[in-house]
């Protein structure tokens, strides 16, 4: 099994709406789609998990965890 982690800065409008699940899911889908368009190797990977930033971080970053699909 091959795993990949990408750390991405959280967009400002998403920082304000982290408690809204619909907004969060929509933004994560959009970010993953953009990453896969920029890097074709990511098309072989599926999003496994998302790590959200803590409240006290200076530059909030989310971690996107991918797993290679068969």
């Amino acid at each position: 099994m091959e795993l990949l982690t990408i750390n991405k800065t959280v967009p400002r409008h998403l920082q304000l709406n982290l408690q809204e699940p619909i907004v969060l899911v929509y933004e994560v889908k959009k970010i993953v789609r953009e990453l896969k368009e920029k890097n074709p190797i990511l098309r072989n990977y599926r999003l496994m998990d998302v790590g959200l930033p803590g409240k006290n971080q200076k530059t909030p970053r989310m971690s996107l965890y991918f797993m290679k699909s068969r």
Side-chain angles (χ1 to χ4, degrees), residues 8-20 23-24 27 53-55 57-62:
K8 184 92 172 143
T9 303
V10 178
R12 182 72 180 144
H13 64 278
L14 185 57
Q15 291 176 23
L16 302 173
N17 293 318
L18 278 177
Q19 68 277 5
E20 296 291 330
V23 174
L24 182 63
E27 287 298 321
K55 294 182 180 183
Q57 289 183 348
K58 291 182 182 178
T59 56
R61 293 186 164 283
M62 72 168 79

Side-chain angles (χ1 to χ4, degrees), residues 8 32-43:
K8 184 92 172 143
V32 170
R33 192 177 317 118
E34 289 172 358
L35 286 171
K36 286 186 175 188
E37 286 174 2
K38 290 179 184 176
N39 189 350
I41 294 172
L42 281 177
R43 291 185 185 147

